[in-house]
Amino acid sequence: MQDEHNLEEKVLSQSAEMIVSQALDEVEKIDINVQTDLFKILQGQADGVLFAGEGLVIQEDIRVQEIKLQTDSIDINPLTALFGKIELNESVNAVGHIVVTEVDINRALTSDLIRTQMQNLELNVDGDIVSFEPQKIQVFLPGEGKIECKGKVLLKEMGNTRPFAYTALIRPRTHSQPAMVESFNCTEGEGISIELITALMQKAKELMNLPSLKWEDMAFKIKDIKVEKGSLTLMVETQVKQIPTSITELSL
C-alpha cells in the first residue's frame, strides 16, 4: 500500500513541477512534493506541499538562488488534483526560506521592475520635500551579518539638482537585534545637511524594518535574516490562497 501511495505522490508532484517550470524564465532545479495518497485525494485532502527550487528566474532579471516552502495540511479540489492541478479550497499557511546571492541582488537592482519602484524617493526635511533619483546602486555582502551599499543619486532640493554618491554599511534586523547603520559616508558631491542625514537614516530604518517582502501578489512575512559572505537568507512565513498554474498566479 505504501508503494501505491508513493506512486500517487510522484505522479501528482511531477505534474505540478512541469506546470510551474513552464511558467519560469529559467530554472536549474525544482522539486514539488505533494504529500498525499489516492484516498486523501478523493476526500479532497493532502498532508501538505513541499516546494523547493534552485536558480529560479522570473521577468528575466529577478533570480532566486534557493527557495523552500512547506505548507500545512490542505483542502484541495479532488477532481483537478487527479489531473495534476492542485486547487486549494481555502488558504494555507507555509513556512520556509529564500536565499539570494550578491550577484542576484545586483542583477535585480538593474531590472526595469526595481528601477521603476525606486524612482524619486521623497523625504520630508523640516517641511521641505527633498527627492533622490537613483542612478546606480551596488550591494556587497562581506559577511558577519553586514550589508554594504554603494550608490549614486541625483539630489533635488530647494529647486536645485546635484549629483551625490555614498557608501553605507548596515546590519539588517534579526530576531535578536534591531536594524543598525554602522557607517554612512559621502564619496562625491558637496555633502548633505545634518537634517537631511537624519531624515535619510529614518527612511533607511523604515525600509530595514519592513515586516514583509512583497513579490507579485504574495507577501512573505520576514521572521529572521541571515547575512553571510556572498548570500542573504530570509526565514519567512506566508499564507497561500492558490498553488499556481502560472508563477504569476501566486496570491494571498
Side-chain angles (χ1 to χ4, degrees):
M1 190 67 174
Q2 184 62 41
D3 290 342
E4 293 179 1
H5 292 180
N6 290 338
L7 178 61
E8 292 151 11
E9 287 186 2
K10 184 176 181 180
V11 171
L12 190 53
S13 298
Q14 287 179 340
S15 298
E17 288 172 9
M18 181 177 64
I19 290 170
V20 175
S21 295
Q22 291 174 345
L24 295 165
D25 290 346
E26 296 177 29
V27 59
E28 294 176 9
K29 181 180 178 180
I30 190 167
D31 182 15
I32 299 177
N33 182 11
V34 183
Q35 298 146 352
T36 189
D37 57 45
L38 182 58
F39 179 71
K40 290 178 180 177
I41 291 175
L42 294 176
Q43 289 187 313
Q45 298 176 349
D47 294 329
V49 175
L50 174 64
F51 176 91
E54 296 178 10
L56 278 60
V57 179
I58 61 168
Q59 298 184 9
E60 297 184 359
D61 291 315
I62 309 299
R63 183 182 184 277
V64 173
Q65 174 63 30
E66 179 183 325
I67 182 171
K68 187 173 184 179
L69 295 173
Q70 172 69 58
T71 75
D72 293 339
S73 58
I74 58 178
D75 292 328
I76 58 177
N77 183 325
L79 294 178
T80 59
L82 291 172
F83 295 94
K85 181 180 179 181
I86 310 302
E87 291 184 350
L88 304 183
N89 291 329
E90 59 183 41
S91 59
V92 60
N93 295 322
V95 297
H97 67 262
I98 300 171
V99 179
V100 290
T101 67
E102 182 180 292
V103 174
D104 295 334
I105 295 172
N106 287 302
R107 176 178 174 177
L109 289 172
T110 63
S111 69
D112 291 338
L113 175 64
I114 301 300
R115 290 178 67 88
T116 298
Q117 295 179 345
M118 294 178 61
Q119 288 297 315
N120 293 325
L121 171 66
E122 294 187 343
L123 299 175
N124 188 320
V125 183
D126 292 341
D128 294 323
I129 300 301
V130 178
S131 67
F132 295 84
E133 183 178 328
Q135 301 294 296
K136 182 179 180 181
I137 302 176
Q138 286 182 292
V139 170
F140 303 91
L141 304 176
E144 299 182 349
K146 300 178 182 181
I147 300 175
E148 182 180 5
C149 300
K150 293 184 179 181
K152 293 184 178 181
V153 301
L154 289 180
L155 179 62
K156 302 177 181 179
E157 59 179 337
M158 302 178 66
N160 298 316
T161 300
R162 60 186 176 90
F164 172 74
Y166 66 90
T167 62
L169 191 63
I170 63 177
R171 288 182 179 269
R173 67 176 177 84
T174 67
H175 70 282
S176 60
Q177 70 174 29
M180 299 179 66
V181 177
E182 287 198 356
S183 64
F184 183 88
N185 298 303
C186 302
T187 59
E188 183 181 322
E190 301 174 357
I192 55 179
S193 66
I194 293 177
E195 292 78 12
L196 181 51
I197 289 178
T198 302
L200 188 59
M201 292 300 100
Q202 180 59 38
K203 175 59 69 173
K205 178 181 177 181
E206 292 174 6
L207 293 174
M208 289 191 291
N209 284 321
L210 285 176
S212 63
L213 175 68
K214 191 171 178 61
W215 177 59
E216 296 288 341
D217 293 324
M218 194 173 192
F220 295 93
K221 185 176 181 181
I222 301 172
K223 302 298 291 182
D224 199 7
I225 300 175
K226 184 178 182 181
V227 183
E228 299 177 298
K229 184 175 177 59
S231 69
L232 184 151
T233 301
L234 303 174
M235 307 303 296
V236 299
E237 64 180 31
T238 188
Q239 191 175 65
V240 183
K241 284 186 177 179
Q242 204 54 256
I243 304 296
T245 55
S246 164
I247 202 70
T248 56
E249 290 179 9
L250 283 168
S251 61
L252 288 180

